[in-house]
Structures are given as structure tokens and as C-alpha cells.
Amino acid sequence: MKMTTRVALDNMKYHRSKNILIGIAIMLTTFLLFVVPSVGKGMVDVQNAAINKVYPTWHAMYRDVDTDTMRGLVLHHDIERYGFMINVGEMMIEDTTVSLMYLDETAAELYRVLPERGRIPETEEEIVVSQGILEALGQQADIGDTIRVPYQIYRGGGLDYRQEREFRVCGFLADSSLSREQRVYTAFVSKPFAELEIPQEQITYRILAQVQGKDSVTTTELEERIQNIARQFGINEKNVRINEEYLGANYVDPALVPAIAVIMLIIVAAGIITIYSIYYVSLNQRVQEFGRLKAIGATKRQLRQIVLREGLWVAAIAIPIGLLLGTVAVTVIMSNMGSVVRDAGDYLTALRELLASGEVNVLYPWAYALAIVITLCTVYLSLLKPMRTLAGVSEIEAMRYHGAAKRAKAKRGGYTDLTIGRLTMRNLADNKRKSAVTIVSMAMTGVLIMVAATVLSCASPKQCADNVMLGAYEISPIVEEHNRERPERAWSRVQQNNPLNESLKAQIECLDGVERVDVFSELHVTADVLGEDTHSLNGVPEVYAKELERGIIKGAVTYEELKSGDKVIVDSVLQSWYPQLDVGTKLTLTVQDGERTFEKEIEIAAVGNYRSGLSNYMYFYMAKDAVDALGSYNCSRYFHVIADKNHDTALAQALEGIVLSSGALEMRTWQQMFAYWKNNMAIVGGACYVFLGILAAISVMNLVNTMMNSVHVRRKELGMMQAIGMSDRQLGKMLQLEGLFYTFGTLAVSVGVGSVLGYFMFLYAKEAKMLEITNYHYPFAAAVIVALTLLILQAVLTAVLAKSVQRDTLIERVRFRE
């Protein structure tokens, strides 16, 4: 036992440079194995703590439930706690939205909206408001004071005419910063008031429920239980809202553990390949060394123990350093997590407070233990093959071992003309497997980088903004259905007096910087196969004909055929909701044209996949002329303003002036979408590249070891070649050519395989509509960065190795013994 330990320690010191590289690989592996689960779990715990601090505590909301269904549902054996809500109406205040709600005390508790002062309304004339609401009303009041409120009641499926009455304030709600910023509030009224204003047969409830469940229940099981209750009472799935954030914060999310496990498996695989390949590259000299030990009496078990203990001694030094660096990294990442997002809602305020106070501990003892155990397993698995090889070779074979090649194949041929290039190729040919192991181990990380870069390139902020927006600005009429006080905002009425007319189009086209205005049309349609849902015919202008035809993934139809008005393209999103909508299906649509409706038979000629800017969430595509011909009024729904710049301050101000002066229009801009996606992709891209960069650093250790070992074992050979005339410059050139072979070999595999896999990943992301990806963009920047990094690393390494060889005198190199 003492002998094997002593030999292992002496070997660790003797092979210092190799073990330093292995130590760095182990340290980085430990670092990642600690940081990934710690940050993943830490983010979840901090978010969950913030959610539990500010989010509602109900599990499910069942909406539009009539009285009879409500009475049966609350008695269900899976309902543990419940509360009632009734959406009564809205206050009539310009530029401010105030909902009038009835909630019982349990519902208020489950929603975390109990009055800050006072109590829940009990009588018909009582109301709970907030200071923000009083400011919007232009009134002042305290508990017990009377205020005058203009309001509309929900009757007959929409907002009824304006009414006005006095209420007595019985409580005050707290205003969130987000409510004040967006001018969106809620006031509470009593059940007697709701029953007085809304006919009994029209009252529908929202039931807030907590379902039965133990701590070990997963979110998936709870969601299935919630949906099962809805099915038992015939509640449409669209009327079931699940509080996913709260469930995820308090129950086990089955998707979290597998996601972290997959990432950790990638780290382990990279560590195993790198550590093994470092051993493999130096196997030649180690086999001969262990052959001598075996010749003097060492057993196979002792030889295996020497290899294993040498690796474990290196790990014993590297693992604590990795854990220390990981602790610092986790602390820095978590302390800065709240500053990444710019929003100032209650949730993020609570998140920042929790991070600043350190109330949630994100340094988990189990994470340290897990990182240590998995790293040690990684080291052990990496050493299995070297242990078997070194312990299994006989004494005679060990003394003349030259790698995995057969002796017959190791015979060298000669050259009449010897050049630096031929010397380089000879060395690489004698070490084919070592060269292949080095290239493959490094290329694995390169492939991952190229795949990630492809996705991020296709989902660049600019590309995402381009996919969401057609042009720099989008102008549309303000549409609000089922509001009797504002019936002119219903789409059926907007069509009859549409502000998106030819005069407005001409006015916009005259503005400096505007190239053209593309007009999309819309008609609302229903059909038996669509249930109670209303969808839209999307009238696409001819300028997008080619894009419309290119997006077809099933069936075939031309834009000219779509002009007939008898054929449509269905979006793949709509088909996923209604699988029966397939190519060749004929539908009878009920088309709403102003106040009238009529039936129109159409045939689904194709299924397509399109960016959201083109669809505008209208999933039946027709030619614009066909949609306009079906309608008797102006069906223009969107003006997409195509400008010579994506953002022009003067043009944006001019368009905003037109929109505000109209009072019936709204606008969104490319710049807004770009800023949104830029913030999101910076977070996602930064995390991906940092993780892959550390993986790359682990793999690079293998290149360093390969070239160092190549110089080390050939030091005598290099000395002899210099003795017969090779200059230092030629030596440097030979080492440089060897390094370039590994560099270009790694690049060929990384960029080649990574590009192919990246393209398939793009196809998957496009099909799944992930990150608004629709167009393929090759990640040239990533490929160039990978290439430059490898070239610079190889050049630096070559220079260092050449200097290290030249430090010894020629006599010392010729006399060198391994």
C-alpha cells in the first residue's frame, strides 16, 4: 500500500506538466459541475421565494362558471379551499382602466389583494379603491367618505351603457408601481351590488381553488387533477387558468431535474474525454515505465492502483480550487441576477430585496458534495482504459511498446529529399490515433458552440424584430369588442368607418423616409369545426406573394389561385389546434361583414408556416383582393409602414402625431421589438457562451498536452536533427505545422459537423416557432472566433514549446532520456 502511494506521488511530481493540465481540466470540470446546479437551483429558489412573497396562492381559476356548476364544483373532493369572484364591470375613466370586481374574503386572500386598510365591501353602496383610482377620478376620500363613480356593467356578454352613482369607501388597496405606470387598477364592490346590477341568469363566477395535494406531488400531476375537475363539470379548457408560477414554486417541476442532468452529463463527457486523451497521448512512455515496474515484481493490481492514486492526488488538489472558484462565481451571478431585467414590478422588486438581503441561501452543501462525487467518478472513468492498458501489457511487450500500432506497421520508409513538411507528416503518421483523439475531443465542444451559435444567430434581436414586424412601424385601429359604451370600437363598426383609408395611406407615404405602406385586410369568420372560436381571414397583399408560397409545407397553391376567394392556406399553428383542418378539407365559413353575416365555402389548399409579422395571428391566408371582394366595407386591418431606416426619430414622431390626433389608432414600432429581444437574447446568449467557453477551455487542455508530449518524447530526436543541421527557425516551423494540423483538423470537424447539426437544429426551431426563428443565418462570426482562437492558441503554444526546447543545450538534448 505504501509502495503504490509513494510511486503515485513520485509519478505525479515527475510528470508535473501533464498533471498540471489534468488538474486544470479537473478544476474546470468541478467548477461547472458546482456552478450549473447551484445557479439553476438558486435561481429557482430565489424566484420561488419572490413568487411566494407576491404571487396569488390559488392553484386554478375556473372562469365563466354558472351558478349551478359553481355549487357542484366547490363540493368536489379534490377542492381543498375556494373563493368566488364576479367580474362586475369597469369604471369610465379616460386613459385609465379600472375593473370592478366582487371577491369574497377567501378569494381576496388567495389573490393577495386584501385591503391594506379597511375591509371587503358588504353592502350595496360600499367600495374598496386605491389612491391611484382616486387620483384618476380627480377626487379625494378616506374610509367612510363618499365618492362618485362613472361605470359600465357587464351585461349580455359585453359592457353596457354608462351609469353613475355614489359609493362609500370602506377600504383601501395598495397601488403597485406597475399599476401606476400602466394606469391599470382594480376596485372591489359587494355581492349585493353585483346581484342588483347583473341579471341573475347572466351572473358567471370565477372560482379560485386550491386542490388537494401533498408536497411530493409534481406540477404535472396537479395540472392533470385541475383539468380533470374541469372535464367532470363540462368546463371548457380555455376557461381553466392554472397558476403555473405558484405551482412551480411549491411543487416539483419534473422538467427541471432532467434539464440540469443533461447539462451535467455534457460536462462529465467533456471531462472524461479530455482527461483520458491526456493520458492516452502520453501512454507510450508510461507503458514502458510501468513495464519496468512489472519486471521488478509489481502486480497488476498495484499498477492499476498507482495510476488511480496519481489521478486522485491530482484531483485532491484541483477539486478544492474548482469549488472555491465556483463559490465565488455563484455568489457573483446570484447577487447580480436582479439587475439583468429592467422591469420594476412587485415580483422583481421582491426578487431584488431577497438577493440583497441574502435571505435565500444559494450555496447548497449538497451541491458541493455532488460536484465532488461526480468529479471523482469522472476521474475514475477517465482512468479505466489507461489502468487496463498499463496493467495488462506483459514485461517484454511493455519494453518495446510503441502505441497501438502493430510493429509491422511502425516500420518507417525513407526519403531522398527531407523537408520540414515531410518530417511533420512522418510524426503525425506515427501517431494517428493520438492525433485523432486530440482532434475529436476538441471538436466536440466546437460542434456544441456552432450549434448554439446557429440558433442564436437565427434568433438575433434584429432577426426577431424583423419576424415580428413587417417594416419599421405598424399602425392599426383600436379594436375593442363587446363594449356598449364604445360600440364604435367593435371590428364590425370599425369596418364601416375605418380610419385606415386611402387618405391616411397617402398622408403617410408623403412623409420623409417612407418607402411604401403595405395594407393587410381582415374579416372575422366562424365555423362549426372551430367551435365557438372566432378566427380571421388574413388578406395578404401581393408584395408578399413569394413569401406566402415559400412558406407552404404541405399541399400547393399559387397566389393567383388565392385571388379566387375559394381557396385558403391554413397556418400550421391553427392546424395544431384543429388537426382536422388538412389539405383538401372544405369548410363552410360564416363571414362577418359589418353588421351582416353570410356563408362562404372554401377549400384548404395548403398548410404553411409563417412569421408572426405576416400572420398577425390571423391564420387563414387569402390574397388581399379576395378578402376585400368578400367584404362590403373597408377591411384594412394593418398599415405596415416600410421605411428606409428601421428607426428614424423624426418619422416616428410624425407617425405618433398622426396616431394621437386620430384618437382611434394605435402604433407599435420595430425599435420597441428590437429593444425587447435585445434584452432577452443578451441573457440567453451570454449564459450559453460562458458555459461553452469553459467547456472549450477543458478541451483545449488536450491540445496543450498533445503538443507538449510530442516535444517531450522527441526531445532527443529533435536534438539529433539539429545536430545535423536543422535550425531553430526550422524547428519552430515544424512544430507550427504540427499545431496547424490539429487546429485545422479540429476546425474541419467543428465547423463541418457543427454547421450540419446547427442547420437541423434551425429546422426544428423553425417548426416549433422557437424564439421567432424563421430564416437561416449561418453563424460566420462564431466560426471566425473559433478559428482565430485556435490559431492564436496554437501560435502561442508553438512559440512557448520551441523556446522550452531551445533552453537546453544541444548536448543535453542529444543525451536526453525519458
Side-chain angles (χ1 to χ4, degrees):
M1 183 70 72
K2 289 182 179 178
M3 186 274 288
T4 55
T5 302
R6 179 60 183 270
V7 172
L9 282 169
D10 288 342
N11 280 348
M12 185 179 74
K13 295 173 186 175
Y14 182 74
H15 299 286
R16 186 181 298 108
S17 18
K18 171 183 70 67
N19 284 318
I20 287 174
L21 296 176
I22 292 175
I24 293 172
I26 293 173
M27 179 197 70
L28 293 173
T29 301
T30 307
F31 174 84
L32 284 179
L33 288 173
F34 175 74
V35 168
V36 168
S38 295
V39 171
K41 185 69 165 58
M43 285 184 173
V44 170
D45 284 354
V46 173
Q47 290 173 17
N48 291 349
I51 286 169
N52 282 326
K53 197 171 183 180
V54 300
Y55 267 54
T57 60
W58 49 266
H59 296 168
M61 177 193 293
Y62 298 98
R63 295 182 291 196
D64 295 339
V65 177
D66 60 37
T67 304
D68 291 338
T69 304
M70 174 269 291
R71 288 171 181 163
L73 190 147
V74 298
L75 297 176
H76 194 279
H77 64 276
D78 273 338
I79 300 292
E80 184 174 33
R81 194 175 181 217
Y82 61 87
F84 299 112
M85 293 173 58
I86 300 175
N87 195 7
V88 180
E90 292 182 9
M91 287 189 189
M92 288 284 296
I93 307 175
E94 196 66 37
D95 299 328
T96 304
T97 301
V98 182
S99 299
L100 292 175
M101 304 289 298
Y102 158 69
L103 295 87
D104 65 9
E105 192 161 349
T106 304
E109 288 177 8
L110 293 173
Y111 233 124
R112 292 187 186 271
V113 288
L114 282 169
E116 192 176 38
R117 293 192 295 133
R119 56 175 174 79
I120 295 289
E122 296 175 354
T123 62
E124 176 189 322
E125 71 278 0
E126 290 181 331
I127 192 170
V128 170
V129 293
S130 69
Q131 287 298 333
I133 295 174
L134 291 179
E135 290 170 11
L137 288 168
Q139 302 179 42
Q140 294 182 345
D142 204 343
I143 292 178
D145 294 340
T146 300
I147 60 173
R148 192 152 193 88
V149 176
Y151 61 91
Q152 293 174 268
I153 297 295
Y154 282 110
R155 300 190 187 98
L159 286 169
D160 211 334
Y161 297 106
R162 173 192 172 104
Q163 297 173 250
E164 194 170 312
R165 66 167 290 170
E166 290 186 346
F167 288 91
R168 187 174 69 253
V169 177
C170 67
F172 277 91
L173 297 168
D175 286 322
S176 69
S177 55
L178 192 62
S179 291
R180 283 188 170 273
E181 181 184 332
Q182 298 182 350
R183 301 183 66 83
V184 176
Y185 305 95
T186 300
F188 297 163
V189 294
S190 64
K191 189 176 183 181
F193 176 78
E195 292 174 340
L196 174 71
E197 293 286 353
I198 306 174
Q200 184 63 39
E201 66 277 6
Q202 292 184 20
I203 291 179
T204 57
Y205 293 89
R206 296 184 183 184
I207 301 174
L208 305 178
Q210 287 183 335
V211 300
Q212 298 279 0
K214 298 178 182 177
D215 292 342
S216 59
V217 174
T218 67
T219 54
T220 304
E221 291 170 337
L222 276 175
E223 288 174 11
E224 177 55 34
R225 193 173 297 174
I226 289 165
Q227 295 291 0
N228 186 51
I229 294 171
R231 286 191 290 268
Q232 290 179 33
F233 288 91
I235 299 172
N236 193 303
E237 188 175 335
K238 293 186 300 183
N239 290 329
V240 180
R241 182 182 166 194
I242 296 174
N243 193 355
E244 294 176 351
E245 292 84 0
Y246 181 77
L247 293 185
N250 293 277
Y251 297 89
V252 180
D253 184 353
L256 178 64
V257 175
I260 292 178
V262 167
I263 295 173
M264 294 182 74
L265 283 173
I266 293 172
I267 298 167
V268 169
I272 289 174
I273 291 172
T274 300
I275 297 170
Y276 164 72
S277 59
I278 291 174
Y279 270 100
Y280 179 80
V281 166
S282 60
L283 204 58
N284 184 15
Q285 64 188 104
R286 298 304 299 273
V287 167
Q288 294 181 7
E289 173 189 321
F290 276 70
R292 297 185 187 104
L293 289 172
K294 197 168 188 181
I296 62 174
T299 65
K300 289 184 178 181
R301 183 178 182 280
Q302 286 175 324
L303 295 178
R304 285 195 294 267
Q305 286 295 311
I306 290 171
V307 177
L308 179 60
R309 290 181 188 185
E310 182 183 344
L312 292 178
W313 278 113
V314 176
I317 298 170
I319 288 175
I321 299 173
L323 291 175
L324 180 62
L325 293 176
T327 301
V328 173
V330 169
T331 304
V332 171
I333 291 169
M334 296 306 299
S335 62
N336 289 282
M337 190 176 100
S339 62
V340 175
V341 186
R342 301 284 181 259
D343 295 341
D346 291 342
Y347 165 70
L348 282 168
T349 301
L351 190 80
R352 294 188 184 106
E353 289 173 356
L354 288 167
L355 290 169
S357 66
E359 186 177 329
V360 179
N361 180 29
V362 294
L363 297 173
Y364 307 98
W366 60 262
Y368 288 95
L370 185 68
I372 292 170
V373 170
I374 296 179
T375 303
L376 289 175
C377 291
T378 301
V379 173
Y380 179 76
L381 292 171
S382 305
L383 297 175
L384 280 177
K385 183 67 165 42
M387 282 193 292
R388 283 198 300 269
T389 301
L390 294 172
V393 179
S394 69
E395 294 88 334
I396 301 301
E397 289 173 333
M399 299 300 285
R400 59 191 182 193
Y401 181 82
H402 291 284
K406 303 287 184 185
R407 288 190 65 200
K409 292 184 179 179
K411 186 178 179 181
R412 292 191 176 191
Y415 293 106
T416 54
D417 244 345
L418 191 61
T419 65
I420 297 301
R422 284 176 173 176
L423 278 174
T424 303
M425 293 307 298
R426 168 60 64 192
N427 178 58
L428 294 172
D430 286 346
N431 297 279
K432 292 187 186 74
R433 289 186 64 182
K434 293 177 183 179
S435 301
V437 168
T438 300
I439 290 172
V440 170
S441 64
M442 291 181 61
M444 279 185 59
T445 304
V447 168
L448 286 175
I449 290 173
M450 289 301 296
V451 171
T454 299
V455 174
L456 294 172
S457 176
C458 297
S460 68
K462 182 180 182 303
Q463 184 64 59
C464 292
D466 287 343
N467 289 338
V468 172
M469 293 284 298
L470 297 183
Y473 309 93
E474 177 190 276
I475 299 175
S476 59
I478 298 173
V479 175
E480 185 181 351
E481 302 291 347
H482 311 302
N483 186 342
R484 292 186 182 178
E485 191 65 30
R486 292 171 175 169
E488 73 282 357
R489 290 189 175 179
W491 176 239
S492 59
R493 297 286 293 275
V494 170
Q495 285 179 258
Q496 300 174 54
N497 188 26
N498 197 333
L500 298 186
N501 50 41
E502 288 299 321
S503 173
L504 178 64
K505 182 182 176 185
Q507 182 183 356
I508 294 172
E509 287 176 333
C510 289
L511 297 174
D512 290 339
V514 174
E515 294 180 355
R516 68 175 194 272
V517 176
D518 297 332
V519 185
F520 280 68
S521 298
E522 177 181 8
L523 280 174
H524 287 177
V525 296
T526 57
D528 291 340
V529 72
L530 303 176
E532 298 178 0
D533 295 335
T534 298
H535 291 276
S536 299
L537 289 175
N538 185 356
V540 181
E542 192 161 3
V543 69
Y544 297 98
K546 289 184 179 178
E547 182 175 348
L548 205 59
E549 293 172 4
R550 281 198 307 267
I552 292 173
I553 58 177
K554 189 176 182 181
V557 68
T558 64
Y559 188 83
E560 288 299 317
E561 291 175 312
L562 293 176
K563 287 182 177 180
S564 67
D566 298 322
K567 294 183 177 182
V568 296
I569 299 174
V570 167
D571 197 288
S572 57
V573 172
L574 190 65
Q575 190 191 38
S576 68
W577 297 341
Y578 305 98
Q580 61 270 42
L581 299 180
D582 207 350
V583 175
T585 302
K586 292 188 177 180
L587 294 176
T588 300
L589 300 178
T590 300
V591 183
Q592 180 183 347
D593 176 34
E595 302 297 335
R596 77 183 183 103
T597 60
F598 63 91
E599 291 188 347
K600 170 67 178 176
E601 186 178 83
I602 56 98
E603 178 186 351
I604 298 175
V607 177
N609 192 341
Y610 302 101
R611 52 178 169 158
S612 58
L614 186 74
S615 73
N616 287 307
Y617 308 103
M618 302 184 293
Y619 297 130
F620 285 109
Y621 301 93
M622 253 188 203
K624 174 175 166 52
D625 291 348
V627 173
D628 290 342
L630 287 173
S632 306
Y633 304 100
N634 182 353
C635 301
S636 298
R637 185 66 174 87
Y638 295 100
F639 274 10
H640 293 284
V641 182
I642 313 300
D644 55 10
K645 297 179 186 175
N646 280 329
H647 179 64
D648 183 331
T649 303
L651 178 57
Q653 289 175 349
L655 290 171
E656 194 162 333
I658 292 172
V659 168
L660 290 175
S661 64
S662 166
L665 297 171
E666 57 189 357
M667 180 176 75
R668 65 173 183 161
T669 70
W670 184 94
Q671 187 67 18
Q672 292 169 346
M673 295 297 102
F674 176 75
Y676 170 80
W677 283 105
K678 185 178 181 181
N679 184 48
N680 285 355
M681 296 312 299
I683 299 170
V684 174
C688 283
Y689 284 131
V690 168
F691 171 70
L692 291 171
I694 297 173
L695 273 186
I698 295 174
S699 299
V700 160
M701 295 302 102
N702 192 27
L703 173 64
V704 176
N705 174 71
T706 300
M707 294 193 66
M708 285 178 60
N709 186 73
S710 177
V711 170
H712 178 76
V713 298
R714 289 187 300 147
R715 185 164 293 197
K716 181 175 181 178
E717 179 183 328
L718 295 175
M720 293 178 69
M721 284 192 290
Q722 285 203 285
I724 62 173
M726 176 186 279
S727 66
D728 287 343
R729 182 173 176 276
Q730 287 173 318
L731 173 63
K733 184 177 180 182
M734 185 179 73
L735 294 176
Q736 192 174 50
L737 286 174
E738 289 180 14
L740 286 173
F741 172 80
Y742 294 119
T743 297
F744 286 111
T746 301
L747 282 176
V749 178
S750 299
V751 176
V753 176
S755 298
V756 174
L757 292 180
Y759 183 74
F760 283 113
M761 188 64 191
F762 153 74
L763 293 177
Y764 169 78
K766 179 182 178 181
E767 182 67 25
K769 294 189 181 287
M770 181 191 301
L771 298 174
E772 291 293 337
I773 290 175
T774 56
N775 298 324
Y776 178 72
H777 292 278
Y778 186 78
F780 286 105
V784 170
I785 290 171
V786 170
L788 288 177
T789 302
L790 285 174
L791 286 169
I792 292 170
L793 176 68
Q794 174 264 323
V796 171
L797 185 57
T798 299
V800 171
L801 290 175
K803 290 288 184 185
S804 71
V805 172
Q806 293 160 14
R807 273 200 301 267
D808 297 333
T809 66
L810 194 58
I811 300 299
E812 288 172 334
R813 278 178 264 165
V814 172
R815 288 178 176 174
F816 177 75
R817 293 289 184 274
E818 291 181 4

